[in-house]
């Protein structure tokens, strides 16, 4: 049995090295395309949680900058999430009421009408772009809905990183990508050139400038901070249940390890009768 | 399932019932008294793990179906609704989506175990073929399940797989229109995939029933590949010995499963599937789920459409003929040194194809995929038949009891 | 292997009981999510209250609005209807309740429009008491939504509501 196990690893590693090597040799090097770097996030790993102040700043960036072109299809009520931005019920009510949303049913005259939003409503699309086609007409490409953006963006991790990621519990690929893109406008003369965007031509012109959003909590108003805060906010928006998931997960893990330990000894006792 | 039962219920009511429907006796002889070779190693616990995964997938799937909406306009939103609003919806969905991967991980270990120890050989040919059928049904179920969230990778996957059928000469295009219920993958396709995704698992349950039945008729193979000669000396009772061992293995397996579900639930999920399906745009780099990658690599390695599709299906179908392709009289790889060498090359080919299937097509990658494909088919149709004729095998122990004694003798 | 043989039975039993107990706890905690997923979800709970504009309802009319997936009757009662409701002797009622207990403003009656017999929706302005009559099994309600005759056991329930302004009411 021991031989079986040790011989299992060697050929598998060999195979990956062989194929990896062949692929690397054959790939011709196009324009230099650096991979996004890993940032440190408060919500990384099994114990990670969102930083409420950061999410509130991120929402501020969304509201003041991104929302002019990007939709965010989450209901207002989600902003009350205690594991997320944690706004009060009253704050969310006021915020919702400041938006005009299309009512589901027509009024008694049969007209479709708009009314002030309620917490149960979903953020309406940006005023300038009521639909994707209108947005595409101005930018050549529709600005994507941001509710799932942090889950919908990735970069290739490559071998062997994708193996390490399993043990490392690295799930912040999307956040790192968003941060990299927002800080990747490194040619001031060309606002649609991005260091990290595949092929470097990006439809979105550099959206953030230093000092553009006024933070009230003393955080430095830099592009880097904006990028980090919005990336964190979008990570929450894409998967608001992840804090609950990790909390339950920790309990489940402890339970399973204890249970497996008990099963091990129970199995040993029962089989001991046999000899 | 293993012959007439000697089970006699203790209570009078039990005996009254048993004489009318001997189900307790059936359960007793199948899952309590059933004799199991005493030399089984932990690779034999995956049958129980797979049974558990099948039930887990069905249970989580049924509750997810209570919230999912199978329509092109609503499917994507309904999945996000499950993730965000439904009580424990995220847990159920992650259990189900990662459960599919865990199910395949377990089934691959189960299959390779069978191939290494010659579990497909007489008298277990039917048992093996039933297993291949289960594997096929699993792939079909997983594929259709992957389409349901209606992300852009779901759509691309559905398009590519159903387009395989256009390779059929003459009727191919009509067949694909029939599969789609239209001229492309769309609402009717999604609806029928949902219906079939709900149906197929129950067909799997049926075939698993036959698989277990066949197993209990011929008995388990074992690491030494010698048949049970003396039930008293060679075997132990299924309960408690095998059940407790299976449950221990399962609890360890669940730790891995829980790690994925709670801490890296999106590791195996392609980011493109968080983008809603758009029939006008295909994602830049489409890949199937990891468990289908080797077959995908075989498909891409072949420049001709029809030949590629045939090779893809042949790669799976050939497995059913394994009992007759392997000509050796010795079952277990433990006593076949030359076989073992080729077996590991075969494993390397499968892993290599899997890796290449996930990579973008380059000249080097295609060349490697071709080499590995030759290795894959070469093992099945050349190495196995020839090895049986030329290989000089090591002597297998005369009985299971002897094998166990020899092993514990070494240990002391 | 020999160590197990000399072990006392009680230590073995303890191990088995502990393992079994932990297994039971595990199964229990898996069952709860499977049950709880059928409870009303967050998006449903968010819609648990609605606001209705009363300005558009003329005297004598009943408007049916949808609240929590079912009908709510909002009745702008006339003077005559209010008097009928107030003057009905409590001894005549199957489920005695004064009209004052059922309304916040006498001209507005707000009740859940589901018959307390088996859940049908009663028809307005019908029956001998000018209230409602259930089409299913003939239960008769008065102008306060109280059961007067027929198989229904209870009055039409009054939902939780508040007047946000003179012409606006929030139900739920």
């Amino acid at each position: 049995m021991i031989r079986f196990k040790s011989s299992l690893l060697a050929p598998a590693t060999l195979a990956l090295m062989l194929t990896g090597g062949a692929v690397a040799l054959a790939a011709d090097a196009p324009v230099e395309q650096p991979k996004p770097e890993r940032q440190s996030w408060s919500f990384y790993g099994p114990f990670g949680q969102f930083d409420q102040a950061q999410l509130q700043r991120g929402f501020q960036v969304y509201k003041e900058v991104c929302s002019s072109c990007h939709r965010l299809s989450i209901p207002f009520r989600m902003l009350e999430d205690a594991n997320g931005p944690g706004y009060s019920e009253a704050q969310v009510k006021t915020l919702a009421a400041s938006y005009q949303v299309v009512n589901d049913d027509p009024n008694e005259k049969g007209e479709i009408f708009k009314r002030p939003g309620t917490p149960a409503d979903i953020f309406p699309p940006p005023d300038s772009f009521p639909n994707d086609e209108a947005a595409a007409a101005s930018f050549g490409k529709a600005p994507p809905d941001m509710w799932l953006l942090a889950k919908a963006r990735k970069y290739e991790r490559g071998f062997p990183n994708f193996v390490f990621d399993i043990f490392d519990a690295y799930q912040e690929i999307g956040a790192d990508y968003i941060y990299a893109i927002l800080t990747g406008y490194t040619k001031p003369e060309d606002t649609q050139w991005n260091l990290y965007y595949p092929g470097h031509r990006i439809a979105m012109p550099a959206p953030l400038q230093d000092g553009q959003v006024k933070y009230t909590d003393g955080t430095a108003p830099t592009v880097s901070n904006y990028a980090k805060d919005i990336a964190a906010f979008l990570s929450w928006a894409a998967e608001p249940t992840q804090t609950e998931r990790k909390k339950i997960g920790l309990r489940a893990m402890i339970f399973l390890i204890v249970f497996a330990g008990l099963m091990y000894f129970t199995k040993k006792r029962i089989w001991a009768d046999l000899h | 399932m293993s012959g007439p039962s000697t089970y006699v219920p203790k209570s009078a009511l039990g005996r009254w019932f048993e004489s009318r429907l001997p189900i307790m006796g059936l359960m007793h002889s199948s899952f309590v008294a059933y004799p199991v070779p005493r030399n089984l190693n932990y690779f034999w616990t995956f049958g129980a793990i797979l049974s558990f995964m099948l039930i887990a997938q069905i249970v989580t799937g049924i509750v997810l179906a209570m919230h999912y909406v199978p329509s092109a306009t609503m499917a994507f939103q309904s999945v996000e609704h499950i993730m965000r609003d439904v009580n424990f919806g995220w847990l159920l969905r992650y259990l189900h989506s990662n459960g599919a991967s865990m199910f395949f991980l377990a089934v691959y270990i189960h299959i390779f175990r069978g191939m290494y120890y010659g579990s497909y050989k007489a008298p277990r040919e039917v048992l093996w073929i039933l297993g291949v059928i289960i594997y096929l049904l699993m792939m079909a179920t997983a594929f259709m399940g992957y389409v349901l969230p209606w992300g852009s990778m779901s759509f691309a996957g559905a398009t590519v797989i159903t387009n395989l059928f256009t390779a059929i000469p003459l009727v191919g295009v009509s067949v694909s229109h029939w599969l789609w219920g239209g001229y492309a993958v769309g609402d009717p396709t999604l609806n029928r995939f949902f219906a079939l995704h709900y149906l197929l698992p129950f067909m799997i349950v049926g075939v698993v029933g036959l698989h277990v039945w066949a197993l209990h008729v011929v008995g388990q193979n074992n690491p030494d590949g010698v048949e049970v000669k003396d039930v008293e000396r060679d075997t132990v009772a299924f309960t408690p010995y095998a059940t407790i061992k299976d449950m221990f293995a399962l609890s360890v397996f669940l730790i891995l499963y829980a790690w994925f579900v709670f801490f890296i639930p999106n590791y195996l999920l392609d980011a493109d599937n968080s983008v809603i399906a758009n029939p006008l745009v295909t994602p830049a780099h489409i890949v199937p789920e990891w468990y289908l990658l080797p077959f995908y690599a075989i498909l891409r390695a072949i420049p001709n459409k029809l030949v590629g599709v045939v090779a893809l299906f042949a790669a799976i179908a050939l497995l059913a003929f394994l009992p007759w392709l392997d000509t050796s009289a010795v079952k277990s790889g433990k006593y076949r040194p030359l076989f073992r060498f080729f077996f590991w090359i075969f494993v390397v080919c499968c892993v290599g194809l899997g890796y290449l299937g996930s990579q973008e097509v380059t000249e080097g990658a295609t060349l490697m995929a071709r080499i590995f494909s030759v290795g894959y088919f070469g093992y099945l149709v050349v190495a196995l038949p020839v090895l049986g004729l030329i290989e000089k095998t090591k002597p297998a122990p005369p009985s299971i009891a002897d094998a166990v004694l020899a092993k514990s003798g070494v240990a002391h | 292997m020999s160590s197990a043989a000399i072990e006392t039975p009680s230590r073995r039993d303890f191990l088995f009981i502990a393992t079994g107990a932990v297994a039971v706890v595990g199964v229990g905690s898996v069952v709860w999510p499977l049950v709880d997923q059928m409870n009303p979800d967050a998006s449903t709970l968010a819609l648990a209250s609605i606001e209705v504009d009363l300005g558009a309802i003329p005297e004598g009319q009943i408007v049916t609005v949808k609240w929590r997936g079912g009908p709510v009757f909002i009745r702008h009662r006339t003077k005559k209807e209010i008097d009928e409701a107030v003057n009905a002797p409590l001894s005549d009622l199957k489920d005695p309740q004064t009209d004052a207990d059922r309304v916040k403003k006498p001209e507005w009656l707000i009740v859940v429009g589901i018959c307390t017999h088996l859940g049908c929706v009663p028809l307005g302005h019908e029956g001998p008491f000018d209230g409602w009559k259930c089409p299913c099994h003939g239960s008769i309600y008065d102008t306060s939504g109280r059961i007067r005759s027929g198989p229904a056991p209870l009055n039409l329930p009054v939902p939780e509501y508040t007047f946000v302004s003179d012409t606006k009411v929030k139900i739920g």
Side-chain angles (χ1 to χ4, degrees):
Chain A
M1 270 330 294
I2 291 167
R3 201 175 42 216
F4 184 100
K5 277 168 199 157
S6 62
S7 55
L8 179 75
L9 283 172
T13 323
L14 182 72
L16 281 175
M17 275 162 50
L18 270 176
T19 49
V23 173
L25 278 179
D28 41 11
V31 259
E32 196 228 353
Q33 185 80 60
K35 285 194 174 171
E37 272 165 42
R38 276 184 72 168
Q39 307 296 322
S40 85
W41 302 104
S42 68
F43 48 93
Y44 154 75
F47 304 96
Q49 295 199 5
F50 289 111
D51 171 356
Q52 201 168 80
Q54 183 175 44
L55 296 196
Q56 295 200 354
R57 290 197 302 273
F59 176 62
Q60 193 186 350
V61 176
Y62 168 74
K63 197 164 177 293
E64 294 180 20
V65 185
C66 318
S67 66
S68 53
C69 301
H70 289 275
R71 192 171 184 188
L72 180 72
S73 298
I74 61 170
F76 295 108
R77 66 180 156 83
M78 257 181 62
L79 294 169
E80 288 173 39
D81 178 8
N83 293 323
Y87 288 107
S88 71
E89 202 185 326
Q91 281 174 309
V92 170
K93 259 194 164 151
T94 317
L95 175 82
S98 70
Y99 285 82
Q100 287 288 313
V101 300
V102 178
N103 199 46
D104 280 343
D105 301 311
N107 63 15
E108 55 276 16
K109 295 190 200 101
E111 296 156 348
I112 300 291
F113 67 103
K114 283 193 173 181
R115 56 169 172 78
T118 69
D121 287 314
I122 289 172
F123 273 88
D127 294 334
S128 40
F129 304 124
N131 51 50
D132 277 0
E133 284 68 19
S138 347
F139 281 101
K141 204 171 173 183
D145 193 327
M146 286 178 119
W147 70 320
L148 272 171
L149 206 60
K151 267 172 106 173
R153 292 294 179 274
K154 63 165 180 197
Y155 61 93
E156 279 310 313
R157 293 288 291 155
F159 182 77
N161 284 337
F162 73 78
V163 180
F164 300 150
D165 289 348
I166 296 176
F167 306 100
D168 198 19
Y170 177 45
Q171 289 276 282
E172 288 71 37
I173 289 184
D176 285 333
Y177 179 87
I178 292 169
Y179 176 82
I181 291 291
L182 289 174
T183 54
Y185 292 93
T186 48
K187 284 189 181 171
E189 72 282 3
D190 186 351
T191 61
Q192 284 185 291
W193 191 91
N194 194 298
L195 180 62
Y196 295 101
Y197 192 76
H200 299 301
R201 294 304 310 170
I202 186 165
M204 172 174 71
L208 295 166
Q209 274 83 42
D210 285 343
Q212 190 178 357
V213 179
K214 302 277 178 277
Y215 280 156
T216 53
D217 64 351
T219 307
T222 59
V223 168
S224 165
N225 280 340
Y226 297 155
K228 216 150 174 217
D229 295 345
I230 187 71
F233 174 74
L234 293 178
S235 299
W236 166 79
E239 210 189 337
T241 51
Q242 62 176 280
T243 309
E244 188 192 357
R245 184 187 88 212
K246 288 170 187 174
K247 278 181 191 161
I248 293 178
L250 236 35
R251 273 181 269 157
M253 271 298 177
I254 292 167
F255 171 85
L256 283 172
I257 289 167
V258 168
F259 184 59
L262 282 170
M263 285 308 292
Y264 173 74
F265 289 111
T266 306
K267 187 256 167 191
K268 258 184 99 158
R269 289 279 171 85
I270 286 177
W271 279 73
D273 292 350
L274 216 54
H275 299 285
Chain B
M1 293 181 188
S2 54
S5 169
T6 54
Y7 176 76
V8 181
K10 287 191 187 79
S11 69
L13 180 68
R15 283 190 295 274
W16 178 88
F17 191 81
E18 194 66 8
S19 60
R20 284 152 182 86
L21 180 68
I23 191 161
M24 295 309 290
L26 179 70
M27 299 305 265
H28 186 267
S29 62
S30 305
F31 301 109
V32 179
Y34 170 66
V36 179
R38 61 196 301 160
N39 58 339
L40 297 187
N41 59 38
Y42 272 98
F43 286 101
W44 263 266
T45 59
F46 280 88
I49 290 172
L50 285 162
S51 310
F52 173 85
M53 287 311 303
L54 177 59
I55 294 165
Q57 287 300 86
I58 289 178
V59 170
T60 52
I62 286 172
V63 296
L64 286 170
M66 295 181 188
H67 304 281
Y68 172 76
V69 183
S71 96
T73 47
M74 288 295 294
F76 189 84
Q77 272 82 0
S78 74
V79 170
E80 276 308 312
H81 169 69
I82 291 169
M83 290 297 295
R84 289 153 191 266
D85 292 336
V86 173
N87 303 321
F88 293 105
W90 57 269
L91 175 61
L92 299 166
R93 195 236 172 170
Y94 279 152
L95 281 172
H96 197 70
S97 63
N98 285 290
S101 286
M102 291 298 136
F103 203 163
F104 273 97
L105 176 67
V107 93
Y108 281 129
I109 295 172
H110 193 67
I111 291 171
F112 280 117
R113 186 271 287 154
M115 291 178 81
Y116 183 82
Y117 292 112
S119 299
Y120 45 79
K121 290 190 196 184
R124 297 185 181 81
E125 302 93 326
V126 173
L127 174 63
W128 173 262
I129 290 169
L130 288 167
V132 174
I133 293 170
I134 294 169
Y135 177 47
L136 264 174
L137 287 171
M138 275 175 68
M139 286 200 282
T141 311
F143 157 66
M144 287 190 256
Y146 191 65
V147 175
L148 302 185
W150 210 240
S152 57
M153 203 57 100
S154 302
F155 190 89
T159 303
V160 169
I161 300 287
T162 48
N163 262 301
L164 291 178
F165 295 94
T166 60
I168 304 169
L170 300 176
V171 295
V173 173
S174 316
V175 168
S176 62
H177 287 179
W178 173 75
L179 285 172
W180 295 329
Y183 301 105
V185 173
D187 228 343
T189 326
L190 179 58
N191 264 296
R192 63 193 60 178
F193 277 17
F194 179 58
L196 293 172
H197 182 70
Y198 207 121
L199 166 73
L200 287 186
F202 295 98
M203 294 179 63
I204 294 178
V205 170
V207 186
V208 165
L210 297 176
H211 192 66
V212 173
W213 188 6
L215 173 72
H216 286 209
V217 169
V218 295
Q220 261 136 322
N221 184 31
N222 59 79
D224 293 289
V226 287
E227 295 298 319
V228 172
K229 293 195 176 76
D230 177 347
V231 173
E232 198 64 22
R233 290 181 71 229
D234 291 346
T235 67
V236 293
F238 187 80
T239 302
Y241 299 104
T243 34
I244 199 75
K245 191 174 175 182
D246 286 348
M247 279 183 58
F248 167 59
L250 174 64
S251 60
V252 173
F253 188 80
L254 286 180
I255 294 175
L256 176 73
Y257 186 13
W259 178 258
F260 271 84
V261 167
F262 292 109
F263 301 124
I264 48 171
N266 297 311
Y267 177 77
L268 293 165
L269 181 84
D270 201 291
D272 284 314
N273 230 24
S274 290
V275 177
I276 193 165
N278 179 352
L280 306 182
V281 182
T282 299
H285 178 200
I286 73 156
V287 275
E289 289 292 83
W290 70 270
Y291 39 81
L292 303 176
L293 285 171
F295 303 111
Y296 185 60
I298 289 175
L299 173 75
R300 289 198 310 190
I302 294 165
N304 178 291
K305 182 173 174 176
L306 179 60
V307 179
V309 172
V310 168
L312 167 76
F313 284 108
I316 303 164
L318 266 181
L319 294 175
F321 297 94
L322 214 48
W324 297 278
L325 288 168
D326 187 345
T327 51
S328 174
V330 177
K331 280 200 193 87
S332 172
K334 216 169 157 182
Y335 304 104
R336 300 180 61 190
L338 204 53
F339 160 87
R340 223 156 44 212
F341 175 73
F342 282 98
F343 174 81
W344 287 116
I345 289 186
F346 174 71
V347 174
V348 166
C349 288
C350 293
V351 174
L353 282 169
Y355 178 72
L356 291 168
S358 73
Q359 297 302 304
E360 288 185 49
V361 182
T362 60
E363 227 168 275
T366 306
L367 178 67
M368 289 307 292
R370 284 180 187 159
I371 294 170
F372 287 142
S373 299
V374 169
Y376 182 97
F377 287 106
Y379 173 78
L380 295 176
V381 297
V382 181
L384 280 183
V386 174
L387 274 175
L389 306 176
I390 61 163
E391 185 177 32
K392 203 168 167 306
T393 56
K394 289 203 238 166
S399 78
I400 292 171
D402 288 313
V404 173
L405 278 177
K407 201 179 163 195
S408 53
V410 171
H412 276 295
Chain C
M1 42 183 93
S2 50
S3 65
I6 54 168
E7 224 149 8
T8 59
S10 64
R11 269 189 65 186
R12 289 178 55 107
D13 290 348
F14 175 73
L15 177 67
F16 294 160
I17 290 166
T19 310
V22 172
V24 169
V25 170
V27 171
S29 46
V30 167
V31 167
W32 174 241
L34 295 172
V35 173
D36 191 36
Q37 53 88 20
M38 299 223 300
N39 275 321
D41 63 43
S43 63
T44 309
L45 294 175
L47 289 172
S49 70
I50 55 161
E51 286 188 5
V52 183
D53 186 8
L54 301 176
I57 309 174
E59 205 178 83
Q61 246 198 36
I62 304 171
V63 165
T64 307
V65 295
K66 196 170 162 191
W67 176 67
R68 293 188 182 174
V72 164
F73 298 144
I74 301 176
R75 182 166 189 158
H76 195 172
R77 298 193 293 188
T78 60
K79 184 81 184 53
K80 180 174 162 274
E81 287 167 347
I82 296 170
D83 289 344
E84 278 174 11
V86 172
N87 296 332
L90 281 189
S91 55
D92 280 5
L93 300 175
K94 207 187 214 177
D95 180 14
Q97 221 178 2
T98 63
D99 186 58
D101 284 346
R102 297 178 51 81
V103 293
K104 291 201 170 146
K105 291 182 180 179
E107 62 271 33
W108 295 106
L109 174 74
I110 300 177
V111 288
V112 173
I114 295 173
C115 180
T116 56
H117 181 219
L118 290 171
C120 299
V121 181
L123 305 170
H125 297 297
E126 295 225 0
F129 295 93
D130 291 334
W132 285 268
K133 181 185 171 195
C134 183
C136 293
H137 306 96
S139 293
I140 306 293
Y141 298 90
D142 66 12
T143 54
S144 190
R146 292 172 297 198
I147 180 66
R148 299 303 283 266
S149 67
L154 297 170
N155 303 334
L156 293 178
V158 178
E160 203 181 294
Y161 66 90
T162 47
F163 281 91
V164 183
S165 68
D166 276 350
T167 58
K168 213 166 211 180
V169 69
K170 183 186 169 203
I171 303 174

